[in-house]
Amino acid sequence: MAVQTFPAETLLRAQDLRVAFFDVDGVLTDGGVYFSEHGETLKRFSILDGYGLKLLRRAGITPVVITGRDSKPLRVRLEALGLEHVRYGTEDKLPAAQALLAQLGLDWAQAAAIGDDWPDLPVLARVALAVAPPNAHVEVRAIAHHVTHARGGEGAAREFCDLLLTAGGHYCRMLDAARGPLV
Protein backbone atom coordinates (compact mmCIF):
# COMPACT_ATOMS: atom_id res chain seq x y z
CA MET A 1 0.00 0.00 0.00
CA ALA A 2 1.28 3.45 -0.92
CA VAL A 3 1.65 6.26 1.59
CA GLN A 4 1.76 9.10 -0.93
CA THR A 5 -1.58 10.45 -2.12
CA PHE A 6 -2.79 13.12 -4.53
CA PRO A 7 -6.14 14.93 -4.88
CA ALA A 8 -8.69 12.96 -6.90
CA GLU A 9 -9.28 15.80 -9.38
CA THR A 10 -5.53 15.98 -10.06
CA LEU A 11 -5.33 12.23 -10.62
CA LEU A 12 -8.26 12.40 -13.06
CA ARG A 13 -6.53 15.17 -14.99
CA ALA A 14 -3.32 13.12 -15.10
CA GLN A 15 -4.82 9.88 -16.44
CA ASP A 16 -3.66 8.56 -19.81
CA LEU A 17 -0.77 11.00 -20.18
CA ARG A 18 2.07 9.75 -22.37
CA VAL A 19 4.70 12.51 -22.27
CA ALA A 20 6.07 14.73 -19.49
CA PHE A 21 7.96 17.96 -20.15
CA PHE A 22 10.57 19.05 -17.61
CA ASP A 23 12.36 22.35 -17.15
CA VAL A 24 15.81 22.13 -15.55
CA ASP A 25 16.75 25.20 -13.49
CA GLY A 26 14.28 25.52 -10.64
CA VAL A 27 12.78 22.08 -11.29
CA LEU A 28 15.55 19.49 -11.66
CA THR A 29 17.89 21.86 -9.81
CA ASP A 30 17.31 24.37 -7.02
CA GLY A 31 17.58 27.20 -9.55
CA GLY A 32 20.94 28.39 -8.30
CA VAL A 33 23.93 28.71 -10.57
CA TYR A 34 27.21 27.84 -8.92
CA PHE A 35 30.65 28.64 -10.29
CA SER A 36 33.92 27.00 -9.34
CA GLU A 37 37.06 29.05 -8.77
CA HIS A 38 37.96 28.22 -12.39
CA GLY A 39 34.66 29.61 -13.71
CA GLU A 40 33.08 26.21 -14.33
CA THR A 41 29.32 25.98 -13.92
CA LEU A 42 28.26 23.54 -11.21
CA LYS A 43 24.76 22.12 -10.73
CA ARG A 44 23.19 20.10 -7.96
CA PHE A 45 20.70 17.41 -8.97
CA SER A 46 18.49 15.27 -6.75
CA ILE A 47 18.95 11.52 -7.05
CA LEU A 48 15.24 11.17 -6.21
CA ASP A 49 14.34 13.20 -9.30
CA GLY A 50 16.62 11.15 -11.53
CA TYR A 51 15.11 7.89 -10.35
CA GLY A 52 11.63 9.28 -10.97
CA LEU A 53 12.58 9.98 -14.59
CA LYS A 54 13.76 6.39 -14.94
CA LEU A 55 10.48 5.11 -13.47
CA LEU A 56 8.49 7.18 -15.96
CA ARG A 57 10.35 5.58 -18.85
CA ARG A 58 9.68 2.10 -17.42
CA ALA A 59 5.97 2.94 -17.24
CA GLY A 60 5.87 4.03 -20.89
CA ILE A 61 5.66 7.76 -20.19
CA THR A 62 8.25 9.68 -22.20
CA PRO A 63 10.24 12.25 -20.20
CA VAL A 64 11.30 15.27 -22.27
CA VAL A 65 13.64 18.01 -21.08
CA ILE A 66 13.50 21.46 -22.63
CA THR A 67 15.90 23.93 -21.06
CA GLY A 68 17.02 27.44 -21.79
CA ARG A 69 20.55 26.64 -20.64
CA ASP A 70 23.29 24.35 -21.81
CA SER A 71 26.29 23.21 -19.82
CA LYS A 72 28.61 20.26 -19.52
CA PRO A 73 27.28 19.22 -16.06
CA LEU A 74 23.71 19.31 -17.38
CA ARG A 75 24.58 17.18 -20.40
CA VAL A 76 26.48 14.70 -18.23
CA ARG A 77 23.51 14.29 -15.88
CA LEU A 78 20.85 13.91 -18.56
CA GLU A 79 23.00 11.50 -20.57
CA ALA A 80 23.59 9.43 -17.40
CA LEU A 81 19.80 9.18 -17.01
CA GLY A 82 19.51 7.92 -20.58
CA LEU A 83 17.08 10.62 -21.67
CA GLU A 84 16.49 10.50 -25.42
CA HIS A 85 14.47 13.68 -25.87
CA VAL A 86 16.34 16.79 -24.72
CA ARG A 87 16.50 20.31 -26.15
CA TYR A 88 19.29 22.52 -24.78
CA GLY A 89 19.59 26.30 -25.03
CA THR A 90 15.93 26.70 -25.97
CA GLU A 91 14.45 29.94 -24.64
CA ASP A 92 11.29 29.64 -26.76
CA LYS A 93 10.03 26.32 -25.43
CA LEU A 94 6.67 26.14 -27.19
CA PRO A 95 7.96 25.33 -30.70
CA ALA A 96 10.36 22.75 -29.25
CA ALA A 97 7.53 21.08 -27.30
CA GLN A 98 5.23 21.13 -30.33
CA ALA A 99 7.93 19.55 -32.51
CA LEU A 100 8.58 16.83 -29.94
CA LEU A 101 4.88 16.05 -29.64
CA ALA A 102 4.68 15.71 -33.43
CA GLN A 103 7.79 13.49 -33.45
CA LEU A 104 6.20 11.25 -30.81
CA GLY A 105 2.79 11.24 -32.54
CA LEU A 106 1.11 12.80 -29.50
CA ASP A 107 -0.91 15.94 -28.76
CA TRP A 108 -1.25 18.38 -25.88
CA ALA A 109 -4.08 16.36 -24.30
CA GLN A 110 -1.56 13.55 -23.70
CA ALA A 111 1.06 15.81 -22.12
CA ALA A 112 2.02 17.06 -18.68
CA ALA A 113 4.67 19.61 -17.75
CA ILE A 114 6.52 20.96 -14.74
CA GLY A 115 8.10 24.39 -14.83
CA ASP A 116 8.95 27.29 -12.57
CA ASP A 117 9.28 30.54 -14.54
CA TRP A 118 7.90 32.62 -17.40
CA PRO A 119 9.64 30.71 -20.25
CA ASP A 120 7.63 27.64 -19.14
CA LEU A 121 4.24 29.38 -19.27
CA PRO A 122 3.38 28.70 -22.96
CA VAL A 123 3.90 24.95 -22.49
CA LEU A 124 2.20 24.83 -19.08
CA ALA A 125 -0.84 26.65 -20.50
CA ARG A 126 -1.38 23.96 -23.17
CA VAL A 127 -0.79 20.64 -21.40
CA ALA A 128 -3.45 18.51 -19.75
CA LEU A 129 -1.61 18.72 -16.42
CA ALA A 130 0.52 21.72 -15.43
CA VAL A 131 2.67 21.36 -12.30
CA ALA A 132 4.94 23.80 -10.47
CA PRO A 133 7.23 23.52 -7.46
CA PRO A 134 6.38 25.79 -4.51
CA ASN A 135 9.42 27.98 -5.24
CA ALA A 136 8.13 28.72 -8.78
CA HIS A 137 7.29 32.26 -9.83
CA VAL A 138 3.84 33.35 -8.65
CA GLU A 139 2.45 33.52 -12.23
CA VAL A 140 3.48 29.91 -12.85
CA ARG A 141 1.93 28.71 -9.59
CA ALA A 142 -1.26 30.58 -10.54
CA ILE A 143 -1.83 28.46 -13.68
CA ALA A 144 -0.60 25.17 -12.24
CA HIS A 145 -3.13 22.41 -11.65
CA HIS A 146 -0.86 21.07 -8.92
CA VAL A 147 1.90 22.61 -6.81
CA THR A 148 4.31 20.05 -5.38
CA HIS A 149 5.20 19.90 -1.71
CA ALA A 150 8.89 19.45 -2.54
CA ARG A 151 10.92 22.37 -3.86
CA GLY A 152 12.73 22.43 -7.17
CA GLY A 153 15.94 20.43 -6.99
CA GLU A 154 14.74 18.79 -3.79
CA GLY A 155 12.29 16.19 -5.08
CA ALA A 156 9.70 18.28 -6.98
CA ALA A 157 10.35 16.40 -10.21
CA ARG A 158 10.07 13.06 -8.38
CA GLU A 159 6.75 14.11 -6.91
CA PHE A 160 5.58 15.03 -10.42
CA CYS A 161 6.73 11.61 -11.68
CA ASP A 162 4.99 9.86 -8.77
CA LEU A 163 1.78 11.75 -9.57
CA LEU A 164 1.90 10.57 -13.19
CA LEU A 165 2.73 7.01 -12.13
CA THR A 166 -0.14 6.99 -9.64
CA ALA A 167 -2.66 8.38 -12.14
CA GLY A 168 -1.53 5.84 -14.74
CA GLY A 169 -1.95 2.92 -12.35
CA HIS A 170 1.78 2.11 -12.23
CA TYR A 171 2.86 3.43 -8.83
CA CYS A 172 1.65 0.66 -6.48
CA ARG A 173 2.83 -2.11 -8.83
CA MET A 174 6.28 -0.54 -9.10
CA LEU A 175 6.43 0.12 -5.36
CA ASP A 176 5.52 -3.51 -4.60
CA ALA A 177 8.24 -4.70 -7.01
CA ALA A 178 10.78 -2.41 -5.32
CA ARG A 179 9.87 -3.80 -1.90
CA GLY A 180 10.46 -7.35 -3.10
CA PRO A 181 8.62 -10.46 -1.94
CA LEU A 182 7.29 -10.46 1.60
CA VAL A 183 8.79 -13.15 3.78
mmCIF file of all heavy atoms in Angstrom, residues 38-78:
data_model
loop_
_atom_site.group_PDB
_atom_site.id
_atom_site.type_symbol
_atom_site.label_atom_id
_atom_site.label_comp_id
_atom_site.label_asym_id
_atom_site.label_seq_id
_atom_site.Cartn_x
_atom_site.Cartn_y
_atom_site.Cartn_z
ATOM 1 N N HIS A 38 37.460 28.182 -11.020
ATOM 2 C CA HIS A 38 37.962 28.215 -12.389
ATOM 3 C C HIS A 38 36.891 28.679 -13.376
ATOM 4 O O HIS A 38 37.100 28.616 -14.583
ATOM 5 C CB HIS A 38 38.474 26.833 -12.797
ATOM 6 C CG HIS A 38 39.532 26.313 -11.886
ATOM 7 N ND1 HIS A 38 40.791 26.864 -11.796
ATOM 8 C CD2 HIS A 38 39.498 25.295 -10.989
ATOM 9 C CE1 HIS A 38 41.494 26.200 -10.896
ATOM 10 N NE2 HIS A 38 40.729 25.248 -10.387
ATOM 11 N N GLY A 39 35.736 29.110 -12.857
ATOM 12 C CA GLY A 39 34.663 29.611 -13.707
ATOM 13 C C GLY A 39 33.769 28.539 -14.288
ATOM 14 O O GLY A 39 32.920 28.832 -15.125
ATOM 15 N N GLU A 40 33.926 27.295 -13.843
ATOM 16 C CA GLU A 40 33.076 26.211 -14.329
ATOM 17 C C GLU A 40 31.700 26.301 -13.667
ATOM 18 O O GLU A 40 31.599 26.599 -12.486
ATOM 19 C CB GLU A 40 33.697 24.858 -13.996
ATOM 20 C CG GLU A 40 35.046 24.619 -14.630
ATOM 21 C CD GLU A 40 35.734 23.410 -14.036
ATOM 22 O OE1 GLU A 40 35.760 23.289 -12.795
ATOM 23 O OE2 GLU A 40 36.220 22.597 -14.815
ATOM 24 N N THR A 41 30.681 26.021 -14.453
ATOM 25 C CA THR A 41 29.325 25.980 -13.918
ATOM 26 C C THR A 41 29.115 24.654 -13.196
ATOM 27 O O THR A 41 29.437 23.594 -13.721
ATOM 28 C CB THR A 41 28.287 26.101 -15.045
ATOM 29 O OG1 THR A 41 28.522 27.307 -15.762
ATOM 30 C CG2 THR A 41 26.871 26.109 -14.493
ATOM 31 N N LEU A 42 28.573 24.729 -11.989
ATOM 32 C CA LEU A 42 28.264 23.540 -11.208
ATOM 33 C C LEU A 42 26.760 23.497 -10.966
ATOM 34 O O LEU A 42 26.126 24.528 -10.778
ATOM 35 C CB LEU A 42 28.997 23.573 -9.868
ATOM 36 C CG LEU A 42 30.508 23.787 -9.920
ATOM 37 C CD1 LEU A 42 31.065 23.983 -8.520
ATOM 38 C CD2 LEU A 42 31.173 22.602 -10.596
ATOM 39 N N LYS A 43 26.196 22.299 -10.984
ATOM 40 C CA LYS A 43 24.765 22.118 -10.734
ATOM 41 C C LYS A 43 24.575 21.003 -9.730
ATOM 42 O O LYS A 43 25.325 20.042 -9.710
ATOM 43 C CB LYS A 43 24.038 21.755 -12.026
ATOM 44 C CG LYS A 43 24.185 22.776 -13.119
ATOM 45 C CD LYS A 43 22.876 23.085 -13.704
ATOM 46 C CE LYS A 43 23.023 24.119 -14.787
ATOM 47 N NZ LYS A 43 22.128 25.204 -14.577
ATOM 48 N N ARG A 44 23.544 21.124 -8.929
ATOM 49 C CA ARG A 44 23.191 20.097 -7.957
ATOM 50 C C ARG A 44 21.878 19.469 -8.402
ATOM 51 O O ARG A 44 20.892 20.160 -8.619
ATOM 52 C CB ARG A 44 23.012 20.721 -6.574
ATOM 53 C CG ARG A 44 22.616 19.726 -5.510
ATOM 54 C CD ARG A 44 22.192 20.458 -4.227
ATOM 55 N NE ARG A 44 21.585 19.555 -3.311
ATOM 56 C CZ ARG A 44 20.309 19.154 -3.355
ATOM 57 N NH1 ARG A 44 19.503 19.581 -4.288
ATOM 58 N NH2 ARG A 44 19.835 18.317 -2.452
ATOM 59 N N PHE A 45 21.890 18.147 -8.561
ATOM 60 C CA PHE A 45 20.702 17.409 -8.970
ATOM 61 C C PHE A 45 20.303 16.446 -7.864
ATOM 62 O O PHE A 45 21.154 15.898 -7.180
ATOM 63 C CB PHE A 45 20.984 16.602 -10.246
ATOM 64 C CG PHE A 45 21.280 17.447 -11.444
ATOM 65 C CD1 PHE A 45 22.583 17.765 -11.775
ATOM 66 C CD2 PHE A 45 20.256 17.922 -12.248
ATOM 67 C CE1 PHE A 45 22.869 18.537 -12.882
ATOM 68 C CE2 PHE A 45 20.531 18.696 -13.357
ATOM 69 C CZ PHE A 45 21.841 19.009 -13.674
ATOM 70 N N SER A 46 19.008 16.217 -7.729
ATOM 71 C CA SER A 46 18.492 15.271 -6.752
ATOM 72 C C SER A 46 18.463 13.872 -7.357
ATOM 73 O O SER A 46 17.938 13.663 -8.459
ATOM 74 C CB SER A 46 17.076 15.675 -6.331
ATOM 75 O OG SER A 46 16.443 14.627 -5.639
ATOM 76 N N ILE A 47 19.005 12.914 -6.622
ATOM 77 C CA ILE A 47 18.955 11.518 -7.048
ATOM 78 C C ILE A 47 17.502 11.043 -7.106
ATOM 79 O O ILE A 47 17.121 10.258 -7.975
ATOM 80 C CB ILE A 47 19.798 10.630 -6.109
ATOM 81 C CG1 ILE A 47 21.271 11.043 -6.188
ATOM 82 C CG2 ILE A 47 19.622 9.155 -6.427
ATOM 83 C CD1 ILE A 47 21.906 10.910 -7.550
ATOM 84 N N LEU A 48 16.662 11.529 -6.198
ATOM 85 C CA LEU A 48 15.239 11.174 -6.214
ATOM 86 C C LEU A 48 14.604 11.546 -7.546
ATOM 87 O O LEU A 48 13.845 10.765 -8.130
ATOM 88 C CB LEU A 48 14.487 11.901 -5.091
ATOM 89 C CG LEU A 48 14.693 11.424 -3.671
ATOM 90 C CD1 LEU A 48 13.998 12.372 -2.703
ATOM 91 C CD2 LEU A 48 14.177 10.013 -3.492
ATOM 92 N N ASP A 49 14.906 12.738 -8.030
ATOM 93 C CA ASP A 49 14.339 13.198 -9.298
ATOM 94 C C ASP A 49 14.795 12.313 -10.447
ATOM 95 O O ASP A 49 14.000 11.924 -11.310
ATOM 96 C CB ASP A 49 14.748 14.645 -9.577
ATOM 97 C CG ASP A 49 14.115 15.640 -8.619
ATOM 98 O OD1 ASP A 49 13.125 15.304 -7.954
ATOM 99 O OD2 ASP A 49 14.625 16.775 -8.550
ATOM 100 N N GLY A 50 16.087 11.986 -10.460
ATOM 101 C CA GLY A 50 16.621 11.150 -11.530
ATOM 102 C C GLY A 50 15.968 9.781 -11.562
ATOM 103 O O GLY A 50 15.637 9.263 -12.639
ATOM 104 N N TYR A 51 15.752 9.197 -10.397
ATOM 105 C CA TYR A 51 15.113 7.886 -10.355
ATOM 106 C C TYR A 51 13.657 7.989 -10.823
ATOM 107 O O TYR A 51 13.151 7.091 -11.497
ATOM 108 C CB TYR A 51 15.199 7.270 -8.957
ATOM 109 C CG TYR A 51 14.873 5.804 -8.957
ATOM 110 C CD1 TYR A 51 15.712 4.884 -9.585
ATOM 111 C CD2 TYR A 51 13.709 5.326 -8.363
ATOM 112 C CE1 TYR A 51 15.400 3.533 -9.611
ATOM 113 C CE2 TYR A 51 13.397 3.977 -8.384
ATOM 114 C CZ TYR A 51 14.247 3.087 -9.012
ATOM 115 O OH TYR A 51 13.934 1.752 -9.040
ATOM 116 N N GLY A 52 12.995 9.072 -10.491
ATOM 117 C CA GLY A 52 11.627 9.284 -10.973
ATOM 118 C C GLY A 52 11.557 9.305 -12.488
ATOM 119 O O GLY A 52 10.637 8.736 -13.091
ATOM 120 N N LEU A 53 12.530 9.952 -13.129
ATOM 121 C CA LEU A 53 12.575 9.982 -14.595
ATOM 122 C C LEU A 53 12.751 8.571 -15.157
ATOM 123 O O LEU A 53 12.125 8.201 -16.157
ATOM 124 C CB LEU A 53 13.708 10.884 -15.065
ATOM 125 C CG LEU A 53 13.494 12.380 -14.812
ATOM 126 C CD1 LEU A 53 14.797 13.144 -14.951
ATOM 127 C CD2 LEU A 53 12.438 12.933 -15.739
ATOM 128 N N LYS A 54 13.580 7.774 -14.506
ATOM 129 C CA LYS A 54 13.764 6.387 -14.943
ATOM 130 C C LYS A 54 12.472 5.585 -14.783
ATOM 131 O O LYS A 54 12.123 4.776 -15.645
ATOM 132 C CB LYS A 54 14.888 5.725 -14.149
ATOM 133 C CG LYS A 54 16.260 6.249 -14.512
ATOM 134 C CD LYS A 54 17.325 5.561 -13.684
ATOM 135 C CE LYS A 54 18.709 6.051 -14.059
ATOM 136 N NZ LYS A 54 19.760 5.325 -13.321
ATOM 137 N N LEU A 55 11.751 5.806 -13.685
ATOM 138 C CA LEU A 55 10.482 5.110 -13.466
ATOM 139 C C LEU A 55 9.452 5.487 -14.526
ATOM 140 O O LEU A 55 8.694 4.631 -14.989
ATOM 141 C CB LEU A 55 9.936 5.406 -12.069
ATOM 142 C CG LEU A 55 10.713 4.800 -10.900
ATOM 143 C CD1 LEU A 55 10.164 5.315 -9.573
ATOM 144 C CD2 LEU A 55 10.677 3.274 -10.938
ATOM 145 N N LEU A 56 9.422 6.760 -14.903
ATOM 146 C CA LEU A 56 8.492 7.180 -15.959
ATOM 147 C C LEU A 56 8.744 6.399 -17.240
ATOM 148 O O LEU A 56 7.802 5.905 -17.872
ATOM 149 C CB LEU A 56 8.645 8.676 -16.264
ATOM 150 C CG LEU A 56 7.929 9.676 -15.390
ATOM 151 C CD1 LEU A 56 8.069 11.070 -15.980
ATOM 152 C CD2 LEU A 56 6.471 9.337 -15.177
ATOM 153 N N ARG A 57 10.002 6.306 -17.620
ATOM 154 C CA ARG A 57 10.347 5.577 -18.845
ATOM 155 C C ARG A 57 9.888 4.128 -18.756
ATOM 156 O O ARG A 57 9.338 3.586 -19.713
ATOM 157 C CB ARG A 57 11.856 5.650 -19.108
ATOM 158 C CG ARG A 57 12.270 6.977 -19.681
ATOM 159 C CD ARG A 57 13.670 7.040 -20.267
ATOM 160 N NE ARG A 57 14.428 5.831 -20.283
ATOM 161 C CZ ARG A 57 15.593 5.655 -19.652
ATOM 162 N NH1 ARG A 57 16.116 6.618 -18.931
ATOM 163 N NH2 ARG A 57 16.247 4.507 -19.748
ATOM 164 N N ARG A 58 10.105 3.497 -17.601
ATOM 165 C CA ARG A 58 9.682 2.097 -17.420
ATOM 166 C C ARG A 58 8.173 1.947 -17.560
ATOM 167 O O ARG A 58 7.680 0.903 -17.983
ATOM 168 C CB ARG A 58 10.097 1.578 -16.046
ATOM 169 C CG ARG A 58 11.551 1.246 -15.964
ATOM 170 C CD ARG A 58 11.850 0.563 -14.642
ATOM 171 N NE ARG A 58 13.229 0.806 -14.278
ATOM 172 C CZ ARG A 58 13.698 0.804 -13.059
ATOM 173 N NH1 ARG A 58 12.891 0.563 -12.034
ATOM 174 N NH2 ARG A 58 14.959 1.033 -12.821
ATOM 175 N N ALA A 59 7.439 2.986 -17.176
ATOM 176 C CA ALA A 59 5.975 2.944 -17.239
ATOM 177 C C ALA A 59 5.435 3.323 -18.617
ATOM 178 O O ALA A 59 4.228 3.321 -18.824
ATOM 179 C CB ALA A 59 5.390 3.877 -16.177
ATOM 180 N N GLY A 60 6.313 3.672 -19.547
ATOM 181 C CA GLY A 60 5.867 4.032 -20.890
ATOM 182 C C GLY A 60 5.495 5.491 -21.053
ATOM 183 O O GLY A 60 4.849 5.868 -22.036
ATOM 184 N N ILE A 61 5.879 6.310 -20.095
ATOM 185 C CA ILE A 61 5.657 7.756 -20.187
ATOM 186 C C ILE A 61 6.996 8.380 -20.582
ATOM 187 O O ILE A 61 8.006 8.160 -19.911
ATOM 188 C CB ILE A 61 5.158 8.338 -18.851
ATOM 189 C CG1 ILE A 61 3.836 7.681 -18.450
ATOM 190 C CG2 ILE A 61 5.024 9.858 -18.942
ATOM 191 C CD1 ILE A 61 3.383 7.985 -17.030
ATOM 192 N N THR A 62 7.010 9.129 -21.659
ATOM 193 C CA THR A 62 8.249 9.677 -22.197
ATOM 194 C C THR A 62 8.629 10.974 -21.491
ATOM 195 O O THR A 62 7.911 11.964 -21.590
ATOM 196 C CB THR A 62 8.119 9.944 -23.706
ATOM 197 O OG1 THR A 62 7.738 8.738 -24.357
ATOM 198 C CG2 THR A 62 9.420 10.476 -24.292
ATOM 199 N N PRO A 63 9.767 10.996 -20.784
ATOM 200 C CA PRO A 63 10.240 12.249 -20.204
ATOM 201 C C PRO A 63 10.983 13.064 -21.267
ATOM 202 O O PRO A 63 11.792 12.523 -22.022
ATOM 203 C CB PRO A 63 11.186 11.806 -19.089
ATOM 204 C CG PRO A 63 11.626 10.432 -19.461
ATOM 205 C CD PRO A 63 10.582 9.857 -20.371
ATOM 206 N N VAL A 64 10.672 14.351 -21.320
ATOM 207 C CA VAL A 64 11.296 15.267 -22.266
ATOM 208 C C VAL A 64 11.819 16.460 -21.485
ATOM 209 O O VAL A 64 11.100 17.036 -20.670
ATOM 210 C CB VAL A 64 10.280 15.752 -23.323
ATOM 211 C CG1 VAL A 64 10.890 16.825 -24.208
ATOM 212 C CG2 VAL A 64 9.763 14.585 -24.154
ATOM 213 N N VAL A 65 13.059 16.843 -21.729
ATOM 214 C CA VAL A 65 13.641 18.013 -21.075
ATOM 215 C C VAL A 65 13.830 19.105 -22.109
ATOM 216 O O VAL A 65 14.445 18.877 -23.158
ATOM 217 C CB VAL A 65 14.990 17.667 -20.398
ATOM 218 C CG1 VAL A 65 15.669 18.925 -19.875
ATOM 219 C CG2 VAL A 65 14.772 16.669 -19.267
ATOM 220 N N ILE A 66 13.284 20.274 -21.807
ATOM 221 C CA ILE A 66 13.497 21.461 -22.631
ATOM 222 C C ILE A 66 14.026 22.539 -21.701
ATOM 223 O O ILE A 66 13.336 22.941 -20.758
ATOM 224 C CB ILE A 66 12.203 21.926 -23.320
ATOM 225 C CG1 ILE A 66 11.618 20.808 -24.179
ATOM 226 C CG2 ILE A 66 12.487 23.175 -24.165
ATOM 227 C CD1 ILE A 66 10.275 21.144 -24.814
ATOM 228 N N THR A 67 15.254 22.977 -21.963
ATOM 229 C CA THR A 67 15.896 23.926 -21.061
ATOM 230 C C THR A 67 16.505 25.099 -21.817
ATOM 231 O O THR A 67 16.997 24.928 -22.942
ATOM 232 C CB THR A 67 16.974 23.221 -20.206
ATOM 233 O OG1 THR A 67 17.641 24.178 -19.400
ATOM 234 C CG2 THR A 67 17.983 22.477 -21.069
ATOM 235 N N GLY A 68 16.443 26.239 -21.206
ATOM 236 C CA GLY A 68 17.025 27.441 -21.787
ATOM 237 C C GLY A 68 18.536 27.477 -21.677
ATOM 238 O O GLY A 68 19.191 28.299 -22.314
ATOM 239 N N ARG A 69 19.107 26.625 -20.873
ATOM 240 C CA ARG A 69 20.554 26.636 -20.641
ATOM 241 C C ARG A 69 21.200 25.409 -21.262
ATOM 242 O O ARG A 69 20.539 24.444 -21.613
ATOM 243 C CB ARG A 69 20.839 26.697 -19.146
ATOM 244 C CG ARG A 69 20.260 27.973 -18.510
ATOM 245 C CD ARG A 69 20.450 28.038 -17.023
ATOM 246 N NE ARG A 69 21.811 28.237 -16.587
ATOM 247 C CZ ARG A 69 22.495 29.383 -16.641
ATOM 248 N NH1 ARG A 69 21.929 30.429 -17.183
ATOM 249 N NH2 ARG A 69 23.711 29.466 -16.163
ATOM 250 N N ASP A 70 22.505 25.479 -21.331
ATOM 251 C CA ASP A 70 23.294 24.349 -21.810
ATOM 252 C C ASP A 70 24.627 24.393 -21.084
ATOM 253 O O ASP A 70 25.259 25.449 -21.006
ATOM 254 C CB ASP A 70 23.512 24.454 -23.321
ATOM 255 C CG ASP A 70 24.117 23.201 -23.921
ATOM 256 O OD1 ASP A 70 24.380 22.235 -23.171
ATOM 257 O OD2 ASP A 70 24.341 23.186 -25.142
ATOM 258 N N SER A 71 25.007 23.280 -20.519
ATOM 259 C CA SER A 71 26.287 23.211 -19.821
ATOM 260 C C SER A 71 26.756 21.766 -19.791
ATOM 261 O O SER A 71 25.958 20.832 -19.929
ATOM 262 C CB SER A 71 26.163 23.743 -18.387
ATOM 263 O OG SER A 71 25.361 22.878 -17.603
ATOM 264 N N LYS A 72 28.029 21.596 -19.600
ATOM 265 C CA LYS A 72 28.608 20.256 -19.521
ATOM 266 C C LYS A 72 27.994 19.443 -18.373
ATOM 267 O O LYS A 72 27.590 18.292 -18.571
ATOM 268 C CB LYS A 72 30.133 20.353 -19.378
ATOM 269 C CG LYS A 72 30.827 19.032 -19.273
ATOM 270 C CD LYS A 72 30.818 18.273 -20.576
ATOM 271 C CE LYS A 72 31.689 17.031 -20.439
ATOM 272 N NZ LYS A 72 31.505 16.111 -21.531
ATOM 273 N N PRO A 73 27.878 20.010 -17.146
ATOM 274 C CA PRO A 73 27.275 19.217 -16.061
ATOM 275 C C PRO A 73 25.840 18.777 -16.372
ATOM 276 O O PRO A 73 25.453 17.657 -16.039
ATOM 277 C CB PRO A 73 27.301 20.162 -14.854
ATOM 278 C CG PRO A 73 28.337 21.175 -15.167
ATOM 279 C CD PRO A 73 28.350 21.304 -16.659
ATOM 280 N N LEU A 74 25.088 19.643 -17.022
ATOM 281 C CA LEU A 74 23.713 19.307 -17.379
ATOM 282 C C LEU A 74 23.699 18.156 -18.386
ATOM 283 O O LEU A 74 22.952 17.187 -18.229
ATOM 284 C CB LEU A 74 22.999 20.528 -17.955
ATOM 285 C CG LEU A 74 21.595 20.305 -18.498
ATOM 286 C CD1 LEU A 74 20.674 19.749 -17.426
ATOM 287 C CD2 LEU A 74 21.051 21.620 -19.053
ATOM 288 N N ARG A 75 24.522 18.246 -19.393
ATOM 289 C CA ARG A 75 24.584 17.182 -20.402
ATOM 290 C C ARG A 75 25.023 15.851 -19.776
ATOM 291 O O ARG A 75 24.460 14.804 -20.094
ATOM 292 C CB ARG A 75 25.512 17.573 -21.547
ATOM 293 C CG ARG A 75 24.880 18.597 -22.466
ATOM 294 C CD ARG A 75 25.783 18.932 -23.636
ATOM 295 N NE ARG A 75 25.139 19.904 -24.506
ATOM 296 C CZ ARG A 75 24.492 19.602 -25.630
ATOM 297 N NH1 ARG A 75 24.428 18.347 -26.025
ATOM 298 N NH2 ARG A 75 23.926 20.544 -26.358
ATOM 299 N N VAL A 76 26.009 15.913 -18.889
ATOM 300 C CA VAL A 76 26.484 14.698 -18.229
ATOM 301 C C VAL A 76 25.348 14.043 -17.444
ATOM 302 O O VAL A 76 25.127 12.828 -17.522
ATOM 303 C CB VAL A 76 27.698 15.004 -17.319
ATOM 304 C CG1 VAL A 76 28.001 13.837 -16.393
ATOM 305 C CG2 VAL A 76 28.919 15.352 -18.153
ATOM 306 N N ARG A 77 24.599 14.837 -16.694
ATOM 307 C CA ARG A 77 23.510 14.288 -15.875
ATOM 308 C C ARG A 77 22.403 13.689 -16.732
ATOM 309 O O ARG A 77 21.945 12.566 -16.482
ATOM 310 C CB ARG A 77 22.933 15.367 -14.948
ATOM 311 C CG ARG A 77 21.780 14.882 -14.088
ATOM 312 C CD ARG A 77 22.215 13.782 -13.158
ATOM 313 N NE ARG A 77 21.116 13.342 -12.310
ATOM 314 C CZ ARG A 77 20.969 12.098 -11.901
ATOM 315 N NH1 ARG A 77 21.856 11.188 -12.202
ATOM 316 N NH2 ARG A 77 19.957 11.768 -11.145
ATOM 317 N N LEU A 78 21.961 14.408 -17.745
ATOM 318 C CA LEU A 78 20.853 13.911 -18.558
ATOM 319 C C LEU A 78 21.269 12.705 -19.403
ATOM 320 O O LEU A 78 20.466 11.789 -19.605
ATOM 321 C CB LEU A 78 20.287 15.037 -19.426
ATOM 322 C CG LEU A 78 19.673 16.199 -18.637
ATOM 323 C CD1 LEU A 78 19.102 17.247 -19.588
ATOM 324 C CD2 LEU A 78 18.626 15.740 -17.644
#
